[in-house]
Amino acid sequence: MKFTKATNYALHTMMYIALVPAGKVIGVKPLADMLQVSPTYLSKILTRLVKAGIIVSTPGVHGGYKLSKSGKEVSFLDVIHAVEGTASLFQCEFEHGEASPLCLIQQEMNEAEKKMEDHLQSKKISDFSEKLGDSMKDLVLREAK
Amino acid sequence: MKFTKATNYALHTMMYIALVPAGKVIGVKPLADMLQVSPTYLSKILTRLVKAGIIVSTPGVHGGYKLSKSGKEVSFLDVIHAVEGTASLFQCEFEHGEASPLCLIQQEMNEAEKKMEDHLQSKKISDFSEKLGDSMKDLVLREAK
DNA sequence: GCGTGATTACTCGGATACAAGATGTCCGAGTTTGAGCGG
DNA sequence: CCGCTCAAACTCGGACATCTTGTATCCGAGTAATCACGC
Protein backbone atom coordinates (compact mmCIF):
# COMPACT_ATOMS: atom_id res chain seq x y z
CA MET A 1 0.00 0.00 0.00
CA LYS A 2 1.10 3.50 -0.74
CA PHE A 3 -0.49 6.90 -1.11
CA THR A 4 -0.24 9.14 -4.12
CA LYS A 5 -2.36 11.89 -5.59
CA ALA A 6 -4.24 9.22 -7.48
CA THR A 7 -5.37 7.79 -4.14
CA ASN A 8 -6.66 11.15 -3.11
CA TYR A 9 -8.49 11.70 -6.38
CA ALA A 10 -10.03 8.25 -6.19
CA LEU A 11 -11.30 8.61 -2.64
CA HIS A 12 -12.80 12.01 -3.25
CA THR A 13 -14.39 10.91 -6.48
CA MET A 14 -15.87 7.86 -4.76
CA MET A 15 -17.59 10.15 -2.29
CA TYR A 16 -19.41 11.82 -5.13
CA ILE A 17 -20.19 8.66 -7.05
CA ALA A 18 -21.69 7.19 -3.90
CA LEU A 19 -24.25 9.99 -3.93
CA VAL A 20 -25.50 9.26 -7.45
CA PRO A 21 -29.12 8.07 -7.28
CA ALA A 22 -29.95 4.54 -8.40
CA GLY A 23 -30.47 4.24 -12.12
CA LYS A 24 -28.41 7.29 -12.94
CA VAL A 25 -24.74 7.84 -13.78
CA ILE A 26 -22.27 10.71 -13.68
CA GLY A 27 -19.64 11.53 -16.28
CA VAL A 28 -15.97 12.27 -15.90
CA LYS A 29 -16.24 15.92 -16.78
CA PRO A 30 -18.53 17.03 -13.95
CA LEU A 31 -16.45 14.97 -11.50
CA ALA A 32 -13.24 16.54 -12.78
CA ASP A 33 -14.80 19.99 -12.58
CA MET A 34 -15.82 19.51 -8.97
CA LEU A 35 -12.32 18.43 -7.98
CA GLN A 36 -10.53 20.88 -10.28
CA VAL A 37 -8.58 18.03 -11.82
CA SER A 38 -7.63 16.95 -15.34
CA PRO A 39 -10.50 14.88 -16.78
CA THR A 40 -8.23 12.61 -18.81
CA TYR A 41 -6.13 11.69 -15.84
CA LEU A 42 -9.14 11.15 -13.63
CA SER A 43 -10.60 8.80 -16.22
CA LYS A 44 -7.50 6.64 -15.98
CA ILE A 45 -7.99 6.33 -12.26
CA LEU A 46 -11.67 5.51 -12.64
CA THR A 47 -10.78 2.79 -15.11
CA ARG A 48 -8.83 1.06 -12.37
CA LEU A 49 -11.85 1.21 -10.08
CA VAL A 50 -13.94 -0.31 -12.84
CA LYS A 51 -11.54 -3.20 -13.28
CA ALA A 52 -11.63 -3.81 -9.55
CA GLY A 53 -15.41 -4.06 -9.74
CA ILE A 54 -16.05 -1.13 -7.43
CA ILE A 55 -17.86 0.98 -9.99
CA VAL A 56 -19.34 0.25 -13.41
CA SER A 57 -19.17 2.35 -16.53
CA THR A 58 -21.71 2.68 -19.30
CA PRO A 59 -20.32 3.93 -22.61
CA GLY A 60 -22.23 5.98 -25.09
CA VAL A 61 -23.68 9.44 -25.19
CA HIS A 62 -25.42 9.42 -21.84
CA GLY A 63 -22.79 7.21 -20.29
CA GLY A 64 -20.90 7.66 -17.08
CA TYR A 65 -20.03 5.94 -13.83
CA LYS A 66 -22.01 4.61 -10.91
CA LEU A 67 -21.45 2.29 -8.01
CA SER A 68 -21.46 -1.38 -8.84
CA LYS A 69 -23.99 -3.61 -7.18
CA SER A 70 -21.38 -4.98 -4.80
CA GLY A 71 -19.85 -1.54 -4.40
CA LYS A 72 -22.37 -0.36 -1.85
CA GLU A 73 -20.19 -1.29 1.08
CA VAL A 74 -16.82 -0.39 -0.35
CA SER A 75 -14.15 0.45 2.19
CA PHE A 76 -11.31 2.92 1.99
CA LEU A 77 -8.91 0.01 1.68
CA ASP A 78 -10.75 -1.44 -1.30
CA VAL A 79 -10.36 1.81 -3.19
CA ILE A 80 -6.71 2.18 -2.28
CA HIS A 81 -5.88 -1.36 -3.30
CA ALA A 82 -7.68 -0.88 -6.60
CA VAL A 83 -5.73 2.26 -7.40
CA GLU A 84 -2.31 1.56 -5.96
CA GLY A 85 -2.13 -2.20 -5.93
CA THR A 86 -1.50 -4.43 -2.94
CA ALA A 87 2.27 -4.24 -2.84
CA SER A 88 3.77 -3.85 0.60
CA LEU A 89 4.69 -0.36 1.71
CA PHE A 90 8.06 -1.56 2.94
CA GLN A 91 10.19 -3.87 0.89
CA CYS A 92 13.47 -5.28 2.15
CA GLU A 93 15.62 -6.53 -0.69
CA PHE A 94 18.63 -7.59 1.35
CA GLU A 95 19.99 -11.08 1.44
CA HIS A 96 19.92 -12.40 4.98
CA GLY A 97 19.90 -15.88 3.67
CA GLU A 98 22.29 -17.38 6.19
CA ALA A 99 20.18 -18.04 9.23
CA SER A 100 16.90 -16.14 8.92
CA PRO A 101 15.10 -16.70 5.65
CA LEU A 102 12.95 -13.60 5.92
CA CYS A 103 13.84 -10.26 7.38
CA LEU A 104 12.81 -9.57 10.97
CA ILE A 105 12.40 -5.91 10.13
CA GLN A 106 10.18 -6.77 7.20
CA GLN A 107 7.96 -8.85 9.44
CA GLU A 108 7.53 -5.99 11.87
CA MET A 109 6.75 -3.51 9.13
CA ASN A 110 4.17 -5.85 7.68
CA GLU A 111 2.45 -6.05 11.03
CA ALA A 112 2.43 -2.29 11.34
CA GLU A 113 1.03 -1.92 7.87
CA LYS A 114 -1.65 -4.44 8.66
CA LYS A 115 -2.77 -2.32 11.61
CA MET A 116 -3.33 0.54 9.23
CA GLU A 117 -5.08 -1.60 6.66
CA ASP A 118 -7.42 -3.07 9.25
CA HIS A 119 -8.49 0.41 10.19
CA LEU A 120 -9.07 1.43 6.58
CA GLN A 121 -10.96 -1.78 5.93
CA SER A 122 -13.46 -0.93 8.63
CA LYS A 123 -14.25 2.49 7.19
CA LYS A 124 -16.83 2.51 4.43
CA ILE A 125 -17.13 5.13 1.73
CA SER A 126 -20.89 5.35 2.08
CA ASP A 127 -20.63 6.30 5.75
CA PHE A 128 -18.64 9.35 4.78
CA SER A 129 -20.48 10.43 1.67
CA GLU A 130 -23.54 10.97 3.82
CA LYS A 131 -21.65 13.48 5.91
CA LEU A 132 -20.94 15.71 2.96
CA GLY A 133 -22.50 19.13 2.91
CA ASP A 134 -25.84 19.69 1.24
CA SER A 135 -24.25 21.87 -1.41
CA MET A 136 -22.14 18.93 -2.51
CA LYS A 137 -25.11 16.59 -2.59
CA ASP A 138 -27.13 19.04 -4.67
CA LEU A 139 -24.22 19.41 -7.06
CA VAL A 140 -24.11 15.68 -7.66
CA LEU A 141 -27.88 15.40 -8.07
CA ARG A 142 -27.85 18.15 -10.65
CA GLU A 143 -25.10 16.50 -12.72
CA ALA A 144 -26.33 12.92 -12.53
CA LYS A 145 -28.19 11.71 -15.61
CA MET B 1 5.76 8.93 7.35
CA LYS B 2 6.85 7.08 4.28
CA PHE B 3 9.16 4.20 3.44
CA THR B 4 12.07 4.37 1.05
CA LYS B 5 15.30 2.46 0.67
CA ALA B 6 16.85 4.93 3.06
CA THR B 7 14.46 3.69 5.74
CA ASN B 8 15.54 0.15 5.11
CA TYR B 9 19.22 1.05 5.22
CA ALA B 10 18.75 2.98 8.42
CA LEU B 11 16.88 0.23 10.24
CA HIS B 12 19.35 -2.45 9.27
CA THR B 13 22.31 -0.27 10.14
CA MET B 14 20.79 0.51 13.51
CA MET B 15 20.67 -3.20 14.26
CA TYR B 16 24.41 -3.39 13.84
CA ILE B 17 25.19 -0.16 15.66
CA ALA B 18 23.14 -1.39 18.58
CA LEU B 19 25.56 -4.30 18.93
CA VAL B 20 28.66 -2.13 19.23
CA PRO B 21 30.16 -2.53 22.73
CA ALA B 22 30.24 0.47 25.06
CA GLY B 23 33.25 2.68 24.51
CA LYS B 24 33.75 1.59 20.93
CA VAL B 25 32.55 2.86 17.57
CA ILE B 26 32.09 1.49 14.08
CA GLY B 27 32.86 3.27 10.82
CA VAL B 28 30.77 3.70 7.71
CA LYS B 29 32.85 1.40 5.58
CA PRO B 30 32.36 -1.83 7.53
CA LEU B 31 28.66 -1.06 7.85
CA ALA B 32 28.36 -0.43 4.13
CA ASP B 33 30.27 -3.62 3.41
CA MET B 34 27.95 -5.71 5.55
CA LEU B 35 24.87 -4.33 3.80
CA GLN B 36 26.45 -4.22 0.34
CA VAL B 37 25.55 -0.56 0.03
CA SER B 38 27.28 2.60 -1.13
CA PRO B 39 29.29 4.05 1.79
CA THR B 40 28.75 7.65 0.75
CA TYR B 41 25.01 7.30 0.59
CA LEU B 42 24.86 5.44 3.86
CA SER B 43 26.83 8.21 5.53
CA LYS B 44 24.19 10.72 4.51
CA ILE B 45 21.53 8.62 6.16
CA LEU B 46 23.58 8.23 9.31
CA THR B 47 24.03 11.98 9.43
CA ARG B 48 20.27 12.32 9.78
CA LEU B 49 20.28 9.87 12.67
CA VAL B 50 23.02 11.92 14.30
CA LYS B 51 21.01 15.13 14.01
CA ALA B 52 18.04 13.38 15.54
CA GLY B 53 20.18 12.43 18.52
CA ILE B 54 19.81 8.70 18.01
CA ILE B 55 23.48 8.03 17.40
CA VAL B 56 26.64 10.06 17.92
CA SER B 57 29.61 10.39 15.63
CA THR B 58 33.24 10.91 16.53
CA PRO B 59 35.40 12.34 13.75
CA GLY B 60 39.05 11.66 13.28
CA VAL B 61 41.14 8.67 12.41
CA HIS B 62 39.56 6.16 14.75
CA GLY B 63 36.16 7.75 14.45
CA GLY B 64 32.83 6.18 13.75
CA TYR B 65 29.31 5.87 15.06
CA LYS B 66 27.75 4.51 18.20
CA LEU B 67 24.44 4.71 19.99
CA SER B 68 23.82 7.94 21.85
CA LYS B 69 23.21 7.79 25.57
CA SER B 70 19.48 8.29 25.07
CA GLY B 71 19.51 5.98 22.06
CA LYS B 72 19.39 2.80 24.08
CA GLU B 73 15.64 2.50 23.81
CA VAL B 74 15.16 3.77 20.30
CA SER B 75 12.03 2.55 18.54
CA PHE B 76 11.46 1.78 14.90
CA LEU B 77 9.35 4.91 14.64
CA ASP B 78 12.13 7.12 15.99
CA VAL B 79 14.47 5.92 13.26
CA ILE B 80 11.88 6.34 10.54
CA HIS B 81 10.99 9.84 11.64
CA ALA B 82 14.64 10.80 11.74
CA VAL B 83 15.24 9.55 8.22
CA GLU B 84 12.01 10.40 6.44
CA GLY B 85 10.62 13.24 8.48
CA THR B 86 7.26 13.39 10.19
CA ALA B 87 5.16 14.48 7.23
CA SER B 88 1.87 12.69 6.86
CA LEU B 89 1.74 9.77 4.47
CA PHE B 90 -1.46 11.10 2.96
CA GLN B 91 -1.83 14.73 2.07
CA CYS B 92 -5.08 16.18 0.75
CA GLU B 93 -4.49 19.47 -1.01
CA PHE B 94 -8.06 20.13 -2.05
CA GLU B 95 -10.04 23.16 -1.02
CA HIS B 96 -13.14 22.07 0.84
CA GLY B 97 -13.32 25.44 2.49
CA GLU B 98 -17.07 25.87 2.32
CA ALA B 99 -18.43 23.90 5.21
CA SER B 100 -15.75 21.52 6.49
CA PRO B 101 -12.44 23.20 7.24
CA LEU B 102 -10.43 20.02 7.10
CA CYS B 103 -10.94 17.01 4.92
CA LEU B 104 -12.88 14.07 6.35
CA ILE B 105 -10.78 11.70 4.31
CA GLN B 106 -7.60 13.26 5.61
CA GLN B 107 -8.78 12.76 9.18
CA GLU B 108 -9.44 9.11 8.58
CA MET B 109 -6.09 8.56 6.91
CA ASN B 110 -4.36 10.25 9.80
CA GLU B 111 -6.04 7.89 12.21
CA ALA B 112 -5.01 4.90 10.15
CA GLU B 113 -1.46 6.14 9.98
CA LYS B 114 -1.44 6.64 13.71
CA LYS B 115 -2.37 2.99 14.21
CA MET B 116 0.71 2.03 12.31
CA GLU B 117 2.91 4.52 14.12
CA ASP B 118 1.73 3.32 17.51
CA HIS B 119 2.80 -0.16 16.60
CA LEU B 120 6.21 0.97 15.40
CA GLN B 121 6.66 3.10 18.48
CA SER B 122 6.28 0.07 20.71
CA LYS B 123 9.00 -1.89 18.91
CA LYS B 124 12.53 -1.17 20.07
CA ILE B 125 15.64 -1.64 18.00
CA SER B 126 17.54 -3.27 20.83
CA ASP B 127 14.95 -6.02 21.18
CA PHE B 128 15.63 -7.06 17.63
CA SER B 129 19.37 -6.66 17.48
CA GLU B 130 19.63 -9.31 20.15
CA LYS B 131 17.87 -11.77 17.89
CA LEU B 132 20.49 -11.48 15.20
CA GLY B 133 22.56 -14.50 14.41
CA ASP B 134 25.88 -15.04 16.15
CA SER B 135 27.75 -14.61 12.88
CA MET B 136 26.40 -11.08 12.63
CA LYS B 137 27.30 -10.28 16.20
CA ASP B 138 30.83 -11.55 15.71
CA LEU B 139 31.14 -9.48 12.57
CA VAL B 140 30.26 -6.31 14.43
CA LEU B 141 32.57 -7.11 17.34
CA ARG B 142 35.45 -7.64 14.96
CA GLU B 143 34.92 -4.33 13.20
CA ALA B 144 34.23 -2.17 16.26
CA LYS B 145 37.16 -0.09 17.44
C1' DG C 1 63.93 12.08 23.90
C1' DC C 2 60.65 15.52 22.74
C1' DG C 3 57.96 18.90 20.45
C1' DT C 4 56.25 20.27 15.91
C1' DG C 5 54.50 19.62 11.56
C1' DA C 6 52.82 16.46 7.90
C1' DT C 7 50.18 12.50 6.75
C1' DT C 8 46.36 9.57 7.21
C1' DA C 9 41.77 7.98 8.27
C1' DC C 10 37.79 9.32 9.35
C1' DT C 11 33.02 12.27 9.45
C1' DC C 12 30.36 16.13 7.37
C1' DG C 13 28.13 19.07 3.84
C1' DG C 14 27.05 20.85 -0.66
C1' DA C 15 26.55 20.29 -5.54
C1' DT C 16 25.35 17.44 -9.01
C1' DA C 17 24.29 13.47 -11.95
C1' DC C 18 21.18 9.60 -12.65
C1' DA C 19 16.93 6.73 -12.56
C1' DA C 20 12.39 5.60 -11.60
C1' DG C 21 7.88 6.46 -11.07
C1' DA C 22 3.98 9.57 -10.64
C1' DT C 23 1.48 12.97 -13.19
C1' DG C 24 -0.60 14.73 -17.12
C1' DT C 25 -1.63 15.13 -22.30
C1' DC C 26 -2.79 13.56 -26.91
C1' DC C 27 -4.91 10.77 -30.12
C1' DG C 28 -7.44 6.99 -32.05
C1' DA C 29 -11.05 3.38 -31.25
C1' DG C 30 -15.41 1.59 -29.70
C1' DT C 31 -20.41 2.58 -28.27
C1' DT C 32 -24.68 4.46 -27.68
C1' DT C 33 -28.05 8.13 -28.37
C1' DG C 34 -30.32 11.33 -31.09
C1' DA C 35 -31.03 14.19 -35.04
C1' DG C 36 -31.47 14.75 -39.99
C1' DC C 37 -32.73 13.31 -44.35
C1' DG C 38 -34.58 10.72 -48.09
C1' DG C 39 -37.93 7.61 -49.64
C1' DC D 1 -44.07 7.88 -41.29
C1' DC D 2 -40.32 4.74 -41.47
C1' DG D 3 -35.59 3.56 -41.92
C1' DC D 4 -31.07 4.71 -42.91
C1' DT D 5 -27.02 7.45 -42.17
C1' DC D 6 -24.36 10.63 -39.82
C1' DA D 7 -22.88 13.40 -36.07
C1' DA D 8 -22.28 14.05 -31.19
C1' DA D 9 -21.18 12.65 -26.49
C1' DC D 10 -19.36 9.58 -24.00
C1' DT D 11 -15.80 5.73 -22.11
C1' DC D 12 -11.48 3.13 -23.04
C1' DG D 13 -6.60 2.20 -24.13
C1' DG D 14 -2.01 3.04 -25.62
C1' DA D 15 1.74 5.99 -26.41
C1' DC D 16 3.95 9.55 -25.21
C1' DA D 17 5.96 14.14 -22.61
C1' DT D 18 6.94 16.17 -18.22
C1' DC D 19 7.99 16.68 -13.55
C1' DT D 20 9.09 15.29 -9.02
C1' DT D 21 11.77 12.68 -5.95
C1' DG D 22 14.65 9.07 -4.37
C1' DT D 23 19.22 7.21 -5.17
C1' DA D 24 23.94 7.65 -5.77
C1' DT D 25 28.48 9.88 -6.72
C1' DC D 26 32.06 13.35 -6.40
C1' DC D 27 34.67 16.70 -4.19
C1' DG D 28 36.23 19.81 -0.68
C1' DA D 29 36.32 20.86 4.35
C1' DG D 30 37.00 19.83 9.16
C1' DT D 31 39.01 16.81 12.89
C1' DA D 32 41.70 13.81 15.49
C1' DA D 33 45.23 10.24 15.91
C1' DT D 34 49.59 8.71 14.25
C1' DC D 35 54.00 9.10 12.11
C1' DA D 36 58.35 11.52 10.73
C1' DC D 37 61.64 14.61 11.31
C1' DG D 38 64.66 17.95 13.30
C1' DC D 39 66.52 19.92 17.35
Side-chain angles (χ1 to χ4, degrees):
Chain A
M1 183 169 41
K2 60 182 173 181
F3 297 137
T4 67
K5 283 189 179 181
T7 316
N8 195 16
Y9 294 173
L11 287 172
H12 278 83
T13 307
M14 281 300 296
M15 294 291 170
Y16 296 138
I17 293 181
L19 293 177
V20 173
K24 294 193 174 184
V25 297
I26 188 168
V28 170
K29 195 171 298 177
L31 288 170
D33 285 346
M34 289 193 258
L35 290 175
Q36 301 276 27
V37 160
S38 148
T40 50
Y41 187 48
L42 184 59
S43 97
K44 289 204 175 305
I45 299 171
L46 292 180
T47 301
R48 295 184 228 175
L49 297 176
V50 170
K51 289 189 174 170
I54 295 176
I55 59 178
V56 294
S57 68
T58 64
V61 57
H62 279 169
Y65 297 91
K66 65 177 178 183
L67 277 186
S68 75
K69 195 174 174 184
S70 62
K72 290 294 178 188
E73 280 298 313
V74 173
S75 70
F76 277 54
L77 186 63
D78 296 330
V79 174
I80 295 169
H81 275 173
V83 173
E84 306 288 351
T86 58
S88 184
L89 195 54
F90 181 89
Q91 199 63 29
C92 175
E93 70 266 12
F94 286 135
E95 288 284 345
H96 349 55
E98 308 172 8
S100 51
L102 75 157
C103 180
L104 291 176
I105 296 173
Q106 177 77 60
Q107 292 179 5
E108 212 53 47
M109 300 304 255
N110 287 349
E111 278 191 36
E113 191 175 348
K114 186 163 190 331
K115 292 275 177 68
M116 182 166 62
E117 291 189 346
D118 287 345
H119 184 258
L120 293 175
Q121 179 65 42
S122 69
K123 303 295 175 178
K124 307 298 179 187
I125 295 286
S126 56
D127 295 339
F128 283 76
S129 62
E130 295 167 2
K131 298 181 187 172
L132 289 180
D134 288 335
S135 59
M136 290 292 177
K137 294 181 181 177
D138 293 344
L139 211 57
V140 173
L141 288 179
R142 198 179 316 134
E143 298 290 349
K145 288 165 190 168
Chain B
M1 182 169 43
K2 60 182 173 181
F3 297 138
T4 67
K5 283 190 179 181
T7 315
N8 195 17
Y9 294 174
L11 287 172
H12 279 84
T13 308
M14 281 301 295
M15 295 291 170
Y16 295 138
I17 294 180
L19 292 178
V20 172
K24 294 193 173 185
V25 297
I26 188 167
V28 170
K29 196 172 298 177
L31 289 170
D33 286 346
M34 290 192 256
L35 291 175
Q36 302 276 29
V37 161
S38 148
T40 51
Y41 186 48
L42 184 60
S43 97
K44 289 206 174 303
I45 299 170
L46 292 180
T47 301
R48 295 184 227 175
L49 296 177
V50 170
K51 288 189 175 172
I54 294 176
I55 60 178
V56 294
S57 70
T58 65
V61 57
H62 279 170
Y65 297 91
K66 64 178 178 183
L67 277 186
S68 74
K69 194 174 176 184
S70 63
K72 289 296 178 188
E73 280 298 315
V74 173
S75 71
F76 277 53
L77 186 63
D78 295 330
V79 174
I80 294 168
H81 275 172
V83 173
E84 305 288 351
T86 57
S88 184
L89 193 54
F90 182 89
Q91 199 65 27
C92 176
E93 69 266 12
F94 285 135
E95 289 284 345
H96 348 56
E98 309 172 8
S100 52
L102 76 156
C103 182
L104 290 175
I105 296 173
Q106 176 77 60
Q107 291 179 6
E108 213 53 46
M109 299 305 255
N110 287 348
E111 276 190 38
E113 191 175 347
K114 187 164 189 329
K115 291 275 177 67
M116 181 166 63
E117 291 189 347
D118 287 345
H119 184 257
L120 293 175
Q121 179 65 43
S122 69
K123 304 295 176 177
K124 307 298 180 185
I125 294 287
S126 56
D127 295 340
F128 284 77
S129 62
E130 294 167 1
K131 297 180 187 171
L132 289 180
D134 288 336
S135 59
M136 291 291 178
K137 295 180 182 177
D138 293 345
L139 212 57
V140 173
L141 288 178
R142 199 178 317 135
E143 297 290 348
K145 290 165 190 166

